[in-house]
Amino acid sequence: MTGRGQTSAGDLLELVRSGRATTRGALQQATGLSRATVGQRLERLFRAGWLREGAGGPVDSPLGGRPSITLEFDDEHAVVLAADLDTRHARAALLSLTGEIHAERSGPLAVDDGPEVVLGTLGDWFADLLKEAGRPARAVCGIGLAVPGPVDSETGRVVQPPMMPGWDGYDIRGRLARAFTERAGAPTVPVLVDNDANLMAYGEQRVGHPDCSAFVLVKVSTGIGAGVVVDGSVYRGIDGGAGDIGHIRVGADALCRCGSHGCLAAVASGGAVARRLTEAGVPAGSGSDVRELLAAGHPEALALAREAGRQVGDVLATVVTLLNPGVLMIAGDLAGTPFLTGVRELLYQRALPRSTAHLDVVTAHLGERAALIGAAAQVVEYLYTPERAEERLVALGV
């Protein structure tokens, strides 16, 4: 660790949370700090309620003696609120600091209604979730929000989102923070906003594939987007535009919601499949309608989903060759056997064998909760980094 002599209480917390040092002696060894200094900095973390003592660990000395008391991150001292917006539907949850869902709700909520209405509704939902879970508003340490559009991570604002009319450049963080304060009577808390595919990828990678250093998730619902996690961090590009594969041109003439012709999303998304089904006499208004038809084994839906998978697989051959991931995960309304079969057909046919030799192509594990879990994890990682933890301790007066 750099700056050993200046190691802060936040640094000690990071060592405990990561499992790299979980006793006082191990912290002394890892940091080079004296026993007294370690004790003083741990006392601040105990007073904040962020650490607790666990059971005694093994006795390291051959001479025996008392076992060392282990230190644990106290995940009960606060909770996180998270929400996942789709184009016509939303889901919200109250989660522990380690990602367990304590209360959850979902329902119709159209992004076309605009940010004032949508974020105000989420404020109501959050207040209801706190009541359901029996937690006071002051227990909330932060809010995470997943949205179906590209997000500038520095500002939390969406940038020219094709599927979110009226949201471009809007102050989502500020409005959602105010809505929560107004509805729940809570103090202002940090709000983090990110693209839904990014947060799904982050949640799935952390929970199911923590050892995968290059992970790609592709969400195929009303639109198509990808989230990329490299070495445990979301790769966003310079302004949040990374992963927007739904607007790669594939040579077709279909009009996309972004205003261009021939985008992948215009021919292979859940919305595109719904449109083709409707044209064939099978009413379907969205990707969720297609998902229901697929679950019922509707033959036309199965055939179109497989064809959409082939079109997406053709594009993913380039993605896989460029990024060389260990896991390629398919998620969203079309994530099922027909679509996955189509993806594999074109992917393995077009990608370099070297790029697919160690590649696992799988479907999502966390399902509709992936973005919620990813959003909550992102909030926790943001709040408990050493630098920010130290700032928060000072603000708490400990």
Side-chain angles (χ1 to χ4, degrees):
M1 176 176 293
T2 60
R4 293 166 70 90
Q6 299 298 317
T7 303
S8 69
D11 289 310
L12 299 191
L13 180 67
E14 175 68 16
L15 288 168
V16 173
R17 288 186 62 231
S18 66
R20 286 178 285 164
T22 57
T23 66
R24 287 170 172 80
L27 288 170
Q28 288 176 241
Q29 186 174 12
T31 63
L33 297 175
S34 70
R35 179 178 180 179
T37 302
V38 167
Q40 291 168 357
R41 292 179 183 174
L42 287 179
E43 179 60 25
R44 298 176 66 201
L45 297 171
F46 284 124
R47 287 167 58 195
W50 296 359
L51 278 189
R52 64 188 173 203
E53 291 186 339
V59 177
D60 296 328
S61 171
L63 300 178
R66 296 169 59 188
S68 300
I69 299 297
T70 59
L71 303 170
E72 301 174 349
F73 180 60
D74 189 343
D75 62 348
E76 298 177 357
H77 75 268
V79 293
V80 179
L81 288 165
D84 177 20
L85 289 181
D86 208 335
T87 53
R88 299 172 59 185
H89 184 272
R91 184 176 297 269
L94 182 146
L95 303 93
S96 74
L97 298 181
T98 50
E100 289 81 17
I101 293 179
H102 293 321
E104 183 179 11
R105 71 168 293 174
S106 62
L109 190 59
V111 292
D112 286 358
D113 289 341
E116 285 288 329
V117 172
V118 171
L119 298 176
T121 300
L122 289 182
D124 291 332
W125 287 15
F126 288 157
D128 292 342
L129 289 170
L130 284 167
K131 292 178 184 176
E132 181 182 339
R135 296 298 297 259
R138 66 178 180 275
V140 177
C141 63
I143 297 172
L145 176 65
V147 297
V151 177
D152 182 336
S153 61
E154 293 297 318
T155 65
R157 299 172 187 252
V158 291
V159 182
Q160 299 178 0
M163 300 170 64
M164 301 177 70
W167 291 72
D168 186 21
Y170 185 85
D171 181 17
I172 297 175
R173 288 177 180 171
R175 179 66 183 100
L176 187 53
R178 290 194 302 275
F180 174 61
T181 298
E182 293 163 1
R183 268 58 167 198
T188 301
V189 297
V191 176
L192 272 64
V193 184
D194 206 342
N195 171 261
D196 54 359
N198 284 347
L199 292 175
M200 290 174 71
Y202 193 53
E204 292 278 7
Q205 189 270 339
R206 286 173 60 93
V207 172
H209 304 273
D211 297 326
C212 181
S213 61
F215 178 95
V216 176
L217 177 142
V218 178
K219 178 186 178 185
V220 186
S221 290
T222 301
I224 300 176
V228 180
V229 180
V230 177
D231 292 333
S233 298
V234 175
Y235 178 75
R236 299 183 176 86
I238 60 171
D239 62 2
D244 200 5
I245 65 171
H247 300 286
I248 292 175
R249 304 292 177 84
V250 294
D253 192 44
L255 177 64
C256 182
R257 290 184 63 165
C258 72
S260 298
H261 287 82
C263 295
L264 179 65
V267 297
S269 65
V273 173
R275 185 180 65 251
R276 292 182 65 184
L277 283 168
T278 300
E279 291 170 353
V282 182
S286 67
S288 58
D289 293 336
V290 176
R291 179 176 57 191
E292 293 176 5
L293 290 167
L294 291 172
H298 191 283
E300 185 73 12
L302 295 173
L304 288 174
R306 181 165 179 169
E307 177 57 29
R310 288 172 57 85
Q311 292 167 313
V312 173
D314 198 9
V315 170
L316 290 180
T318 300
V319 172
V320 165
T321 301
L322 177 65
L323 297 177
N324 189 209
V327 174
L328 172 62
M329 179 174 284
I330 306 299
D333 292 329
L334 297 193
T337 300
F339 186 86
L340 193 64
T341 299
V343 167
R344 285 176 168 150
E345 284 178 11
L346 263 289
L347 173 63
Y348 288 107
Q349 185 182 119
R350 300 290 173 83
L352 292 171
R354 171 72 179 80
S355 301
T356 58
H358 303 288
L359 176 67
D360 290 330
V361 183
V362 300
T363 53
H365 171 69
L366 298 176
E368 295 181 339
R369 293 176 165 178
L372 295 175
I373 292 171
Q378 190 178 88
V379 169
V380 173
E381 291 306 312
Y382 169 82
L383 290 176
Y384 294 94
T385 58
E387 298 80 7
R388 195 154 285 106
E390 189 64 29
E391 293 172 1
R392 295 174 65 215
L393 288 171
V394 171
L396 288 170
V398 299

